[in-house]
Amino acid sequence: MKTPDYYSLHYPEQNIRLECQVIPSNRRSISLRITPQREILVRVPNWLGRAQISAFLTDKKDWILKNWLSIPEPTALSICDQNRLAALEKRYRRAAKEYIPLRVSYFHAFTGGSYEKIVIRDQKTRWGSCSSTGTLSFNYRLMLAPPSVLDYVVVHELCHLKHMNHSADFWQAVESVLPDYKIRRTWLKEHGNELTLEHHLFPAQFPVI
């Protein structure tokens, strides 16, 4: 996967300059999202060139500013609330280290392949990954998702052990284990931005955009 790139949008009248994080991936279309923290995330197909990305952002320039301005500035949390978040994160990370390997072990019997180790992380833009050396990485925030959605990510990454791509064979392997994987994948696409501890604890202060 290519590393993220950054594009600037300048609004002279408002004296505002916005940075857009562009994330190439194995997808077919462009997606644009503004997070509750006012981050502008643009996911694009790997093959899309800089000129096409720039043209897309220029076309969406007014929409981006309007929606960016509509998001309240991130609220500073009190020391007490920060401590609550830190304690909760430790609990969820610990739970993920115990629970996710159990789901990997269960589904590995169906998917096959060989992996070296399982790593639990807080990946900002990914729910899981599978390296060429057999390391399976999972986002601990999956513990905030429905169990069926967590299982989808587990199966998705396990199937990459045999298919290091998103080919028809890969999706057929996923479907052979989870016939309803599309429903689970859609839920994650539509609700993934809700899976943060800040939104979990302080929904009014950290609304989902």
Side-chain angles (χ1 to χ4, degrees):
M1 180 177 177
K2 296 180 181 178
T3 56
D5 199 357
Y6 292 87
Y7 287 69
S8 293
L9 295 177
H10 188 210
Y11 302 87
E13 293 184 6
Q14 295 83 4
N15 193 28
I16 292 175
R17 184 180 295 276
L18 300 180
E19 294 293 325
C20 304
Q21 183 179 5
V22 178
I23 307 165
S25 62
N26 294 324
R27 57 181 299 122
R28 297 180 180 179
S29 59
I30 302 176
S31 72
L32 172 62
R33 184 168 74 88
I34 304 176
T35 73
Q37 290 73 40
R38 286 186 156 189
E39 298 174 306
I40 304 168
L41 304 180
V42 188
R43 290 181 170 81
V44 303
N46 281 321
W47 50 264
L48 206 65
R50 291 185 62 89
Q52 294 166 294
I53 296 172
S54 181
F56 171 82
L57 292 174
T58 299
D59 182 59
K60 299 293 184 181
K61 188 175 181 180
D62 292 341
W63 183 93
I64 291 172
L65 179 63
K66 176 183 176 181
N67 285 273
W68 187 85
L69 290 172
S70 71
I71 302 174
E73 291 191 28
T75 304
L77 295 174
S78 67
I79 297 298
C80 178
D81 287 339
Q82 291 179 35
N83 290 339
R84 287 176 63 194
L85 276 175
L88 193 62
E89 180 176 336
K90 287 183 179 179
R91 288 174 56 188
Y92 272 97
R93 284 182 180 271
R94 185 164 56 246
K97 288 179 180 179
E98 294 177 359
Y99 181 72
I100 291 178
L102 294 177
R103 303 310 291 162
V104 171
S105 177
Y106 173 79
F107 284 110
H108 185 232
F110 300 98
T111 63
S114 177
Y115 62 91
E116 292 296 321
K117 61 181 178 178
I118 300 171
V119 178
I120 304 299
R121 297 175 175 171
D122 181 13
Q123 298 158 301
K124 298 301 181 183
T125 60
R126 306 179 76 174
W127 296 109
S129 62
C130 174
S131 74
S132 58
T133 59
T135 296
L136 299 174
S137 300
F138 297 98
N139 195 317
Y140 85 92
R141 290 186 289 112
L142 284 169
M143 296 299 293
L144 295 166
S148 62
V149 174
L150 184 152
D151 284 348
Y152 159 69
V153 177
V154 167
V155 171
H156 184 113
E157 301 310 331
L158 280 171
C159 287
H160 276 315
L161 293 172
K162 287 188 173 181
H163 308 279
M164 289 297 291
N165 51 44
H166 288 100
S167 63
D169 289 339
F170 167 79
W171 289 114
Q172 186 176 3
V174 174
E175 188 173 26
S176 69
V177 181
L178 300 175
D180 65 341
Y181 81 89
K182 291 182 180 179
I183 297 175
R184 306 179 192 218
R185 181 179 61 179
T186 298
W187 190 98
L188 190 58
K189 287 182 178 180
E190 294 179 349
H191 300 280
N193 57 338
E194 301 170 18
L195 304 180
T196 68
L197 293 178
E198 290 83 359
H199 176 70
H200 182 69
L201 275 182
F202 314 108
Q205 292 176 253
F206 295 89
V208 175
I209 303 300

